[in-house]
């Protein structure tokens, strides 16, 4: 069973302490370090990870705050959508996978892609989980060669191109691709597995 990304994020004590400090009003890294009992370096590392995962945000005036909107969106998606593993298992049991393995027949796959991808750009991510899987797998297959290692900067640049006009950023897109195992990551490098997921 796959582990929820937020559970993995908060499985590290320093991140929990830093998050709690921000939630209780610490609006600078210095205050977060002081209130959490962490060293400035530990607090900075924890806050950086929390910002990468978009649970802590930096306001326009530079103050730290909890990204409640993003957390609510994650909660809604988690409650409304099955996990990727369960969705794939259920669709596989129904025999609904088309030849490309996107989870739909050819026509449905094409319709989903026409709706959410235009001229090599992501319009938006679908709300329905099965359609989201189709779009994310397509992006992975169109963007990354199997087995080729890409540094994080290159991955970010490639995904930014998809997100240019979309209400989703490259960090969110990268996180989905890693969580769904379309990309694997180690030591700052990413690669698409050679075998189809």
């Amino acid at each position: 069973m796959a582990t929820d990304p937020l559970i993995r994020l908060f499985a590290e004590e320093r991140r929990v302490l830093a998050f709690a400090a921000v939630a209780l009003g610490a609006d600078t890294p210095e205050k977060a370090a002081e209130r959490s009992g962490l060293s400035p370096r530990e607090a900075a590392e924890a806050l950086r990870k929390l910002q990468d995962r978009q649970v802590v945000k930096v306001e326009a005036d530079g103050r730290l705050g909890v990204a409640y909107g993003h957390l609510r969106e994650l909660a809604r998606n988690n409650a409304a959508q099955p996990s990727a593993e369960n969705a794939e298992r259920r669709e596989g049991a129904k025999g609904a996978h088309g030849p490309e393995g996107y989870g739909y027949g050819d026509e449905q796959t094409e319709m989903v892609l026409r709706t959410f991808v235009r001229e090599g750009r992501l319009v938006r991510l679908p709300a329905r989980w099965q359609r989201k899987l189709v779009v994310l797998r397509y992006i992975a297959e169109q963007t990354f060669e199997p087995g080729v290692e890409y540094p994080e900067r290159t991955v970010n640049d490639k995904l930014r191109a998809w997100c240019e006009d979309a209400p989703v950023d490259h960090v969110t897109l990268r996180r989905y691709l890693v969580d769904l195992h379309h990309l694997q990551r180690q030591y700052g490098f990413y690669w698409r597995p050679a075998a189809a997921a």
Side-chain angles (χ1 to χ4, degrees):
M1 184 174 168
T3 306
D4 186 289
L6 275 183
I7 293 174
R8 288 199 303 270
L9 178 66
F10 286 113
E12 208 283 310
E13 184 180 1
R14 286 174 292 194
R15 294 178 204 149
V16 174
L17 292 170
F19 180 82
V22 173
L24 293 172
D27 58 2
T28 66
E30 295 78 19
K31 288 180 186 175
E34 182 183 321
R35 291 192 188 173
S36 65
L38 298 172
S39 71
R41 180 180 174 183
E42 290 173 328
E45 287 174 2
L47 289 169
R48 187 167 32 255
K49 191 69 171 179
L50 293 166
Q51 288 171 41
D52 286 348
R53 291 303 178 110
Q54 299 179 323
V55 297
V56 167
K57 62 182 176 177
V58 180
E59 303 286 357
D61 60 4
R63 292 183 304 152
L64 297 173
V66 174
Y68 289 110
H70 182 65
L71 289 171
R72 280 191 290 272
E73 179 188 340
L74 289 174
R76 274 195 307 271
N77 286 343
N78 197 35
Q81 309 295 345
S83 70
E85 187 177 278
N86 290 340
E88 286 178 356
R89 188 182 302 123
R90 189 167 54 255
E91 288 300 321
K94 289 190 219 171
H97 288 282
E100 296 87 7
Y102 286 111
Y104 285 102
D106 283 349
E107 287 180 28
Q108 288 174 304
T109 298
E110 290 300 319
M111 184 188 73
V112 168
L113 294 175
R114 275 196 310 270
T115 302
F116 296 100
V117 178
R118 293 193 192 134
E119 297 176 4
R121 298 281 188 269
L122 180 64
V123 176
R124 68 182 187 280
L125 276 177
R128 289 178 56 185
W129 187 247
Q130 191 61 33
R131 291 179 181 179
K132 192 176 287 183
L133 291 176
V134 170
V135 171
L136 290 167
R137 183 166 182 175
Y138 176 80
I139 288 172
E141 291 179 354
Q142 295 298 310
T143 309
F144 303 104
E145 291 293 324
V148 175
E149 288 190 351
Y150 299 90
E152 186 166 296
R153 178 175 291 189
T154 302
V155 172
N156 289 340
D157 289 344
K158 285 176 171 288
L159 294 179
R160 256 191 215 101
W162 283 99
C163 299
E164 204 168 275
D165 303 316
V168 63
D169 62 21
H170 69 282
V171 175
T172 301
L173 199 54
R174 188 184 71 209
R175 187 171 64 243
Y176 272 124
L177 294 175
V178 170
D179 290 346
L180 293 171
H181 308 291
H182 292 310
L183 285 181
Q184 293 182 356
R185 172 180 59 195
Q186 189 173 32
Y187 306 123
F189 286 88
Y190 295 74
W191 66 95
R192 187 175 140 226

